[in-house]
Amino acid sequence: MTQTAKALLVDDRRENLMALEAILQGLPVQSVAVESGEAALKQLLVDDFAVILLDAQMPDMDGFETASHIKRRERTRHVPIIFLTAADKDAQLALRGYAVGAVDYLTKPFDPWVLRAKVSVFVELWVKTRQLAAQSDVVRERDAQWRVLTDAVDEATTLLRAEDDPQARQRALDVLEQARWGHTA
């Protein structure tokens, strides 16, 4: 039940989305391309993403507003956002990007290998986080089973320490057998 990591690509220009998809090709990530901030927010309601590549300058809802909405939602606030923009290296735009929660801000033209490396890191972190969550679930389940067994042993011990009653011994054995096979009394 291994889930594939996904990257959300957000740009109002189809040719930019196609270029991003080509850059990410061959990485262990599924690209999901959308052409607006609104479409990105809708996509984030139905899918989980390892990383978001977000164009800073788009009509209607720009990348900064989109990022602000993403970071306000509990479900998406920890998804890393890399801003991509054709704007000149305006320090104010980069600062604005970081202020709304971006982890990086790249200006075009950027080195595709650098972008691939950055996306790879976030995909690997996403995969490791999922693995840790699965291991944590297993540990919680084993802890619950251990508590049931411990409670059964405690109950059986109490019954056995009771008066010299053959019925108490039988009830203690029944409790232990039920716990052994995963049933509760």
Side-chain angles (χ1 to χ4, degrees):
M1 189 175 92
T2 304
Q3 191 179 8
T4 302
K6 294 179 183 176
L8 182 59
L9 316 178
V10 187
D11 198 304
D12 60 310
R13 298 181 62 168
R14 187 76 207 135
E15 62 272 16
N16 289 345
L17 291 171
M18 289 171 41
L20 288 173
E21 288 173 328
I23 289 169
L24 299 181
Q25 195 154 5
L27 292 180
V29 65
Q30 177 186 346
S31 296
V32 176
V34 296
E35 296 182 14
S36 70
E38 293 88 352
L41 295 175
K42 287 177 184 173
Q43 194 65 47
L44 287 162
L45 290 173
V46 296
D47 276 329
D48 292 323
F49 291 90
V51 63
I52 300 169
L53 305 182
L54 181 58
D55 183 22
Q57 298 178 317
M58 295 183 292
D60 300 321
M61 183 186 299
D62 68 15
F64 303 108
E65 187 180 350
T66 303
S68 179
H69 285 291
I70 291 167
K71 293 302 179 178
R72 277 192 293 235
R73 291 180 178 170
E74 180 62 35
R75 180 174 180 212
T76 58
R77 75 172 30 131
H78 299 295
V79 179
I81 298 171
I82 299 175
F83 271 109
L84 307 172
T85 185
D88 291 336
K89 297 182 192 256
D90 182 352
Q92 289 305 109
L93 283 180
L95 288 175
R96 188 173 169 207
Y98 291 122
V100 294
V103 296
D104 210 345
Y105 191 96
L106 300 175
T107 55
K108 300 171 189 171
F110 51 81
D111 184 337
W113 294 103
V114 169
L115 182 60
R116 283 176 64 87
K118 291 174 185 284
V119 168
S120 291
V121 167
F122 291 117
V123 166
E124 188 173 332
L125 286 171
W126 186 88
V127 168
K128 297 291 184 199
T129 300
R130 294 297 176 281
Q131 289 171 344
L132 285 172
Q135 289 173 351
S136 179
D137 290 345
V138 168
V139 167
R140 270 194 296 281
E141 186 177 313
R142 285 189 181 150
D143 283 349
Q145 291 170 345
W146 185 252
R147 277 191 299 279
V148 167
L149 289 173
T150 302
D151 290 347
V153 168
D154 290 346
E155 184 180 345
T157 302
T158 300
L159 288 168
L160 291 171
R161 286 187 177 148
E163 298 175 27
D164 193 20
D165 177 5
Q167 289 179 338
R169 279 195 209 110
Q170 187 56 51
R171 284 196 311 268
L173 284 172
D174 291 344
V175 165
L176 291 173
E177 281 297 318
Q178 287 176 351
R180 177 180 183 193
W181 300 110
H183 307 292
T184 54

